[in-house]
Coordinates of all heavy atoms in Angstrom, one line a residue:
G1 N 104.2 -28.5 76.7 CA 104.0 -28.0 75.3 C 103.6 -26.6 75.3 O 103.4 -25.9 76.3
V2 N 103.5 -26.1 74.1 CA 103.1 -24.7 73.9 C 101.6 -24.6 73.6 O 101.0 -25.4 72.8 CB 103.8 -24.1 72.6 CG1 103.4 -22.7 72.3 CG2 105.3 -24.2 72.9
Q3 N 100.9 -23.8 74.3 CA 99.4 -23.6 74.2 C 99.1 -22.8 72.9 O 99.8 -21.8 72.7 CB 98.9 -22.9 75.4 CG 97.4 -23.1 75.6 CD 97.0 -24.4 76.1 OE1 97.9 -25.2 76.6 NE2 95.8 -24.7 76.1
T4 N 98.2 -23.3 72.1 CA 97.8 -22.5 70.9 C 96.8 -21.5 71.3 O 96.0 -21.8 72.3 CB 97.3 -23.4 69.8 OG1 96.1 -24.0 70.2 CG2 98.3 -24.5 69.4
C5 N 96.6 -20.5 70.6 CA 95.5 -19.5 70.9 C 94.2 -19.9 70.3 O 93.2 -19.5 70.7 CB 95.9 -18.1 70.4 SG 96.2 -18.0 68.7
A6 N 94.3 -20.9 69.3 CA 93.1 -21.3 68.6 C 92.3 -22.3 69.4 O 91.1 -22.2 69.5 CB 93.4 -21.8 67.2
L7 N 92.9 -23.3 69.9 CA 92.2 -24.4 70.6 C 93.0 -24.8 71.8 O 94.2 -24.6 71.9 CB 92.1 -25.6 69.6 CG 91.3 -25.3 68.4 CD1 91.4 -26.4 67.4 CD2 89.8 -25.2 68.7
P8 N 92.4 -25.5 72.7 CA 93.0 -25.9 74.0 C 93.9 -27.2 73.8 O 93.6 -28.2 74.4 CB 91.9 -26.1 74.9 CG 90.8 -26.6 74.1 CD 90.9 -25.8 72.8
I9 N 94.9 -27.1 73.0 CA 95.8 -28.2 72.8 C 97.2 -27.8 73.0 O 97.5 -26.6 72.9 CB 95.7 -28.9 71.4 CG1 96.1 -28.0 70.3 CG2 94.3 -29.4 71.2 CD1 96.2 -28.6 68.9
S10 N 98.1 -28.7 73.4 CA 99.5 -28.4 73.6 C 100.3 -28.9 72.4 O 100.1 -30.0 72.0 CB 100.0 -29.0 74.9 OG 99.4 -28.3 76.0
F11 N 101.2 -28.1 71.9 CA 102.1 -28.5 70.8 C 103.3 -29.3 71.3 O 104.0 -28.9 72.2 CB 102.5 -27.3 70.0 CG 103.5 -27.6 68.9 CD1 103.2 -28.5 67.9 CD2 104.8 -27.1 68.9 CE1 104.1 -28.7 66.8 CE2 105.7 -27.3 67.9 CZ 105.3 -28.2 66.9
D12 N 103.4 -30.5 70.8 CA 104.6 -31.4 71.1 C 105.7 -31.1 70.1 O 105.6 -31.5 69.0 CB 104.2 -32.8 71.1 CG 105.4 -33.8 71.4 OD1 106.5 -33.3 71.7 OD2 105.2 -35.0 71.4
A13 N 106.7 -30.4 70.5 CA 107.8 -29.9 69.6 C 108.9 -30.9 69.4 O 109.9 -30.7 68.7 CB 108.3 -28.6 70.1
T14 N 108.7 -32.1 70.0 CA 109.8 -33.1 69.9 C 110.3 -33.4 68.5 O 111.5 -33.4 68.3 CB 109.3 -34.5 70.6 OG1 108.8 -34.2 71.9 CG2 110.4 -35.5 70.7
K15 N 109.4 -33.6 67.6 CA 109.8 -34.0 66.2 C 110.5 -32.9 65.5 O 111.2 -33.1 64.5 CB 108.6 -34.4 65.4 CG 108.0 -35.7 65.9 CD 106.8 -36.1 65.0 CE 106.2 -37.4 65.5 NZ 105.0 -37.8 64.7
V16 N 110.3 -31.6 65.9 CA 110.9 -30.5 65.2 C 111.8 -29.6 66.1 O 112.0 -28.4 65.8 CB 109.8 -29.6 64.5 CG1 109.2 -30.4 63.3 CG2 108.7 -29.2 65.5
A17 N 112.3 -30.2 67.1 CA 113.2 -29.5 68.1 C 114.3 -28.8 67.4 O 114.7 -27.6 67.7 CB 113.6 -30.4 69.2
N18 N 115.0 -29.5 66.5 CA 116.2 -28.9 65.8 C 115.8 -27.7 64.9 O 116.4 -26.7 64.9 CB 116.9 -30.0 64.9 CG 117.6 -31.0 65.8 OD1 117.9 -30.8 66.9 ND2 117.8 -32.2 65.2
E19 N 114.6 -27.9 64.2 CA 114.1 -26.8 63.4 C 113.7 -25.6 64.2 O 114.0 -24.4 63.8 CB 112.9 -27.3 62.5 CG 113.3 -28.2 61.5 CD 113.4 -29.7 61.9 OE1 113.3 -30.0 63.1 OE2 113.5 -30.6 61.0
I20 N 113.1 -25.8 65.4 CA 112.7 -24.7 66.3 C 114.0 -24.0 66.7 O 114.0 -22.7 66.7 CB 111.9 -25.2 67.4 CG1 110.5 -25.6 66.9 CG2 111.8 -24.1 68.5 CD1 109.6 -26.3 67.9
T21 N 115.0 -24.7 67.1 CA 116.3 -24.0 67.5 C 116.9 -23.2 66.4 O 117.3 -22.1 66.6 CB 117.3 -25.1 68.0 OG1 116.8 -25.8 69.1 CG2 118.6 -24.5 68.3
A22 N 116.9 -23.8 65.2 CA 117.4 -23.1 64.0 C 116.6 -21.8 63.7 O 117.2 -20.8 63.4 CB 117.5 -24.0 62.8
C23 N 115.3 -21.9 63.7 CA 114.5 -20.8 63.4 C 114.6 -19.7 64.5 O 114.6 -18.5 64.2 CB 113.0 -21.2 63.3 SG 112.7 -22.0 61.7
T24 N 114.7 -20.1 65.8 CA 114.9 -19.2 66.9 C 116.2 -18.4 66.6 O 116.3 -17.2 66.9 CB 114.9 -19.9 68.2 OG1 113.7 -20.5 68.4 CG2 115.2 -18.9 69.4
N25 N 117.3 -19.1 66.2 CA 118.5 -18.4 65.9 C 118.4 -17.4 64.8 O 118.9 -16.3 64.9 CB 119.6 -19.4 65.5 CG 120.0 -20.3 66.7 OD1 119.8 -19.9 67.9 ND2 120.6 -21.4 66.5
V26 N 117.6 -17.7 63.8 CA 117.4 -16.8 62.7 C 116.6 -15.6 63.2 O 116.9 -14.4 62.9 CB 116.6 -17.4 61.5 CG1 116.2 -16.4 60.5 CG2 117.5 -18.5 60.9
V27 N 115.5 -15.8 64.0 CA 114.7 -14.7 64.5 C 115.6 -13.8 65.4 O 115.6 -12.6 65.3 CB 113.5 -15.2 65.3 CG1 112.9 -14.1 66.1 CG2 112.5 -15.9 64.4
N28 N 116.4 -14.4 66.2 CA 117.3 -13.6 67.1 C 118.3 -12.8 66.3 O 118.7 -11.7 66.7 CB 118.1 -14.5 68.1 CG 117.1 -15.1 69.1 OD1 116.1 -14.6 69.4 ND2 117.6 -16.2 69.8
K29 N 118.7 -13.3 65.1 CA 119.7 -12.6 64.3 C 119.1 -11.3 63.7 O 119.8 -10.3 63.6 CB 120.1 -13.5 63.1 CG 121.0 -12.9 62.1 CD 121.3 -13.9 61.0 CE 122.1 -13.3 59.9 NZ 122.4 -14.3 58.8
Y30 N 117.8 -11.3 63.4 CA 117.2 -10.2 62.7 C 116.3 -9.3 63.6 O 116.0 -8.1 63.3 CB 116.3 -10.6 61.5 CG 117.2 -11.1 60.4 CD1 117.4 -12.5 60.2 CD2 117.7 -10.2 59.5 CE1 118.2 -12.9 59.1 CE2 118.5 -10.7 58.4 CZ 118.7 -12.0 58.3 OH 119.5 -12.5 57.2
H31 N 115.7 -9.9 64.7 CA 114.6 -9.2 65.4 C 114.9 -7.8 65.8 O 114.2 -6.9 65.5 CB 114.2 -10.1 66.6 CG 113.1 -9.5 67.4 ND1 113.2 -8.9 68.6 CD2 111.7 -9.5 67.1 CE1 112.1 -8.5 69.0 NE2 111.1 -8.9 68.1
K32 N 116.0 -7.6 66.6 CA 116.3 -6.3 67.1 C 116.6 -5.3 66.0 O 116.1 -4.2 66.0 CB 117.5 -6.4 68.1 CG 117.1 -7.0 69.4 CD 118.3 -7.0 70.4 CE 117.9 -7.7 71.6 NZ 119.0 -7.8 72.6
A33 N 117.4 -5.7 65.0 CA 117.7 -4.8 64.0 C 116.5 -4.3 63.1 O 116.4 -3.2 62.7 CB 118.8 -5.4 63.1
L34 N 115.6 -5.3 62.9 CA 114.4 -4.9 62.1 C 113.5 -4.1 63.0 O 112.9 -3.1 62.5 CB 113.7 -6.2 61.7 CG 114.2 -6.9 60.4 CD1 113.6 -8.2 60.2 CD2 114.0 -6.0 59.2
G35 N 113.4 -4.5 64.2 CA 112.5 -3.8 65.1 C 112.8 -2.3 65.4 O 112.0 -1.5 65.5
C36 N 114.1 -2.0 65.4 CA 114.5 -0.6 65.6 C 114.8 0.2 64.4 O 115.1 1.3 64.4 CB 115.8 -0.6 66.5 SG 117.3 -1.1 65.8
G37 N 114.6 -0.5 63.2 CA 114.8 0.2 62.0 C 116.2 0.3 61.4 O 116.5 1.0 60.5
A38 N 117.1 -0.5 62.0 CA 118.5 -0.5 61.6 C 118.7 -1.2 60.2 O 119.6 -0.9 59.5 CB 119.4 -1.2 62.6
L39 N 117.7 -2.0 59.8 CA 117.8 -2.7 58.6 C 116.6 -2.4 57.7 O 115.5 -2.2 58.2 CB 117.8 -4.3 58.8 CG 119.0 -4.8 59.5 CD1 118.8 -6.3 59.8 CD2 120.3 -4.6 58.7
D40 N 116.8 -2.3 56.4 CA 115.7 -1.9 55.5 C 114.8 -3.2 55.3 O 115.3 -4.2 54.8 CB 116.3 -1.5 54.1 CG 115.3 -1.2 53.1 OD1 114.1 -1.2 53.4 OD2 115.7 -0.9 52.0
P41 N 113.6 -3.1 55.7 CA 112.7 -4.2 55.6 C 112.5 -4.7 54.1 O 112.2 -5.9 53.9 CB 111.3 -3.8 56.2 CG 111.5 -2.4 56.6 CD 112.9 -1.9 56.3
E42 N 112.6 -3.8 53.2 CA 112.4 -4.1 51.8 C 113.4 -5.2 51.3 O 113.1 -6.1 50.5 CB 112.5 -2.9 50.9 CG 111.4 -1.9 51.0 CD 110.0 -2.5 50.5 OE1 110.1 -3.2 49.5 OE2 109.0 -2.2 51.1
T43 N 114.6 -5.1 51.8 CA 115.7 -6.0 51.4 C 115.9 -7.1 52.4 O 116.2 -8.2 52.1 CB 117.0 -5.3 51.1 OG1 117.4 -4.5 52.3 CG2 116.9 -4.3 49.9
T44 N 115.6 -6.8 53.7 CA 115.9 -7.7 54.8 C 114.9 -8.8 55.0 O 115.2 -9.9 55.2 CB 116.2 -6.9 56.1 OG1 117.2 -6.0 55.9 CG2 116.6 -7.9 57.2
L45 N 113.6 -8.4 54.8 CA 112.5 -9.4 55.1 C 112.6 -10.5 54.1 O 112.4 -11.7 54.5 CB 111.1 -8.7 55.0 CG 110.8 -7.9 56.3 CD1 109.4 -7.2 56.1 CD2 110.7 -8.8 57.5
P46 N 112.9 -10.3 52.8 CA 113.0 -11.5 51.9 C 114.1 -12.4 52.4 O 114.0 -13.7 52.4 CB 113.3 -10.9 50.6 CG 112.7 -9.6 50.6 CD 112.9 -9.1 52.0
Q47 N 115.3 -11.9 52.8 CA 116.4 -12.7 53.3 C 116.0 -13.4 54.6 O 116.3 -14.6 54.8 CB 117.6 -11.7 53.6 CG 118.7 -12.4 54.3 CD 120.0 -12.6 53.5 OE1 120.1 -11.9 52.5 NE2 120.8 -13.5 53.9
F48 N 115.3 -12.7 55.5 CA 114.9 -13.3 56.8 C 113.9 -14.5 56.5 O 114.1 -15.5 57.0 CB 114.1 -12.2 57.5 CG 113.5 -12.6 58.8 CD1 114.2 -13.2 59.8 CD2 112.2 -12.3 59.1 CE1 113.6 -13.6 61.0 CE2 111.5 -12.6 60.3 CZ 112.3 -13.3 61.2
N49 N 113.0 -14.3 55.6 CA 112.1 -15.4 55.3 C 112.8 -16.5 54.6 O 112.5 -17.7 54.9 CB 110.9 -14.8 54.4 CG 110.0 -13.9 55.1 OD1 109.8 -14.1 56.3 ND2 109.4 -13.0 54.4
S50 N 113.7 -16.2 53.8 CA 114.5 -17.3 53.1 C 115.3 -18.1 54.1 O 115.4 -19.3 54.1 CB 115.5 -16.7 52.1 OG 116.3 -17.6 51.5
E51 N 115.9 -17.4 55.1 CA 116.7 -18.1 56.1 C 115.8 -18.9 57.0 O 116.1 -20.0 57.5 CB 117.5 -17.1 56.9 CG 118.7 -16.6 56.1 CD 119.6 -15.7 56.9 OE1 119.8 -16.0 58.2 OE2 120.2 -14.8 56.4
L52 N 114.5 -18.4 57.3 CA 113.6 -19.2 58.1 C 113.2 -20.5 57.3 O 113.1 -21.6 57.9 CB 112.3 -18.4 58.4 CG 112.5 -17.4 59.5 CD1 111.2 -16.6 59.6 CD2 112.8 -18.0 60.9
K53 N 113.0 -20.4 56.0 CA 112.7 -21.6 55.2 C 113.8 -22.6 55.3 O 113.6 -23.8 55.5 CB 112.4 -21.2 53.8 CG 111.0 -20.7 53.6 CD 110.6 -20.6 52.1 CE 109.1 -20.4 51.9 NZ 108.3 -21.5 52.3
D54 N 115.1 -22.1 55.1 CA 116.2 -22.9 55.2 C 116.4 -23.6 56.5 O 116.9 -24.7 56.6 CB 117.5 -22.2 54.8 CG 117.6 -21.7 53.4 OD1 116.8 -22.2 52.5 OD2 118.4 -20.8 53.1
A55 N 116.0 -22.9 57.6 CA 116.1 -23.4 58.9 C 115.0 -24.4 59.3 O 115.1 -25.1 60.3 CB 116.0 -22.3 59.9
G56 N 114.0 -24.5 58.4 CA 112.9 -25.6 58.6 C 111.6 -25.1 59.1 O 110.8 -25.9 59.7
I57 N 111.3 -23.8 58.9 CA 110.0 -23.3 59.4 C 108.8 -24.1 58.8 O 107.8 -24.3 59.5 CB 109.9 -21.8 59.2 CG1 108.7 -21.3 60.1 CG2 109.6 -21.5 57.7 CD1 108.7 -19.8 60.2
D58 N 108.9 -24.5 57.5 CA 107.8 -25.3 56.9 C 107.6 -26.6 57.6 O 106.4 -27.0 57.8 CB 108.1 -25.5 55.4 CG 108.0 -24.2 54.6 OD1 107.3 -23.3 55.1 OD2 108.7 -24.1 53.6
A59 N 108.6 -27.2 58.2 CA 108.5 -28.5 58.9 C 107.7 -28.2 60.2 O 106.9 -29.0 60.6 CB 109.8 -29.1 59.2
I60 N 108.0 -27.1 60.9 CA 107.4 -26.7 62.1 C 105.9 -26.5 61.8 O 105.0 -27.0 62.6 CB 108.0 -25.5 62.7 CG1 109.5 -25.8 63.1 CG2 107.2 -25.0 64.0 CD1 110.2 -24.5 63.4
I61 N 105.6 -25.8 60.8 CA 104.2 -25.5 60.4 C 103.4 -26.8 60.1 O 102.3 -27.0 60.6 CB 104.1 -24.5 59.3 CG1 104.7 -23.1 59.7 CG2 102.7 -24.4 58.7 CD1 104.9 -22.1 58.6
A62 N 104.1 -27.6 59.4 CA 103.4 -28.9 59.0 C 103.2 -29.8 60.2 O 102.1 -30.4 60.3 CB 104.3 -29.7 58.0
E63 N 104.1 -29.8 61.2 CA 103.9 -30.6 62.4 C 102.8 -30.0 63.2 O 102.0 -30.8 63.8 CB 105.2 -30.7 63.2 CG 105.2 -31.5 64.4 CD 104.8 -32.9 64.2 OE1 105.0 -33.5 63.1 OE2 104.3 -33.6 65.2
K64 N 102.8 -28.7 63.4 CA 101.7 -28.1 64.1 C 100.3 -28.4 63.5 O 99.4 -28.7 64.2 CB 101.9 -26.6 64.2 CG 102.9 -26.2 65.2 CD 102.9 -24.7 65.4 CE 103.9 -24.3 66.5 NZ 103.8 -22.9 67.0
Q65 N 100.3 -28.3 62.1 CA 99.0 -28.6 61.4 C 98.6 -30.1 61.6 O 97.4 -30.4 61.8 CB 99.1 -28.3 60.0 CG 97.8 -28.4 59.2 CD 96.8 -27.4 59.7 OE1 97.0 -26.2 59.7 NE2 95.6 -27.9 60.1
A66 N 99.6 -31.0 61.6 CA 99.3 -32.4 61.7 C 98.7 -32.7 63.1 O 97.8 -33.4 63.3 CB 100.5 -33.2 61.5
Q67 N 99.3 -32.1 64.2 CA 98.8 -32.2 65.5 C 97.4 -31.6 65.7 O 96.6 -32.2 66.3 CB 99.8 -31.7 66.5 CG 101.1 -32.5 66.6 CD 102.0 -31.9 67.7 OE1 101.6 -31.4 68.7 NE2 103.3 -32.1 67.4
L68 N 97.2 -30.5 65.1 CA 95.9 -29.9 65.1 C 94.8 -30.7 64.4 O 93.8 -31.0 64.9 CB 95.9 -28.5 64.5 CG 94.6 -27.7 64.4 CD1 94.0 -27.5 65.8 CD2 94.8 -26.4 63.7
D69 N 95.2 -31.3 63.2 CA 94.3 -32.1 62.5 C 93.9 -33.4 63.3 O 92.8 -33.8 63.3 CB 94.9 -32.5 61.2 CG 95.0 -31.3 60.2 OD1 94.3 -30.3 60.4 OD2 95.7 -31.5 59.2
A70 N 94.9 -34.0 64.0 CA 94.7 -35.2 64.8 C 93.8 -34.9 65.9 O 92.9 -35.6 66.3 CB 96.1 -35.7 65.3
W71 N 94.0 -33.7 66.6 CA 93.2 -33.3 67.7 C 91.7 -33.1 67.2 O 90.8 -33.5 67.9 CB 93.7 -32.1 68.4 CG 92.9 -31.6 69.5 CD1 93.1 -32.1 70.8 CD2 91.8 -30.7 69.6 NE1 92.1 -31.5 71.6 CE2 91.4 -30.6 70.9 CE3 91.2 -29.9 68.6 CZ2 90.4 -29.7 71.3 CZ3 90.2 -29.0 69.0 CH2 89.8 -29.0 70.3
L72 N 91.6 -32.4 66.1 CA 90.2 -32.2 65.6 C 89.5 -33.5 65.2 O 88.3 -33.6 65.5 CB 90.3 -31.3 64.3 CG 90.7 -29.8 64.6 CD1 90.9 -29.1 63.3 CD2 89.6 -29.1 65.4
A73 N 90.2 -34.4 64.7 CA 89.7 -35.7 64.4 C 89.1 -36.4 65.6 O 88.1 -37.1 65.5 CB 90.7 -36.6 63.6
E74 N 89.8 -36.3 66.7 CA 89.4 -36.9 68.0 C 88.2 -36.3 68.6 O 87.5 -36.9 69.4 CB 90.6 -36.8 69.0 CG 91.8 -37.6 68.7 CD 92.9 -37.4 69.6 OE1 92.8 -36.5 70.6 OE2 94.0 -38.0 69.4
Q75 N 87.9 -35.0 68.1 CA 86.7 -34.3 68.7 C 85.4 -34.7 68.1 O 84.4 -34.4 68.6 CB 86.9 -32.8 68.5 CG 88.2 -32.3 69.2 CD 88.5 -32.8 70.6 OE1 87.7 -32.6 71.5 NE2 89.6 -33.4 70.8
K76 N 85.5 -35.5 67.0 CA 84.2 -35.9 66.3 C 83.6 -37.1 66.9 O 84.1 -37.9 67.6 CB 84.6 -36.2 64.8 CG 85.0 -34.9 64.1 CD 85.3 -35.2 62.6 CE 85.7 -34.0 61.9 NZ 86.0 -34.2 60.6

């Protein structure tokens, strides 16, 4: 799993593997062009964020939060 910087837990990406792949593809599409200034962030960032939402980034965030909440509940 992926280690979080907040707590010593590993993220199990099994449930959102397809979304992670889709989001990685979106990031790869924009990363270099945005980083080197080839694209205008004013117009490109909204499109980038929209494509991440369409690719399932909210599902990834929700799954990470659910796993963190479950881990925190076990610590009590």
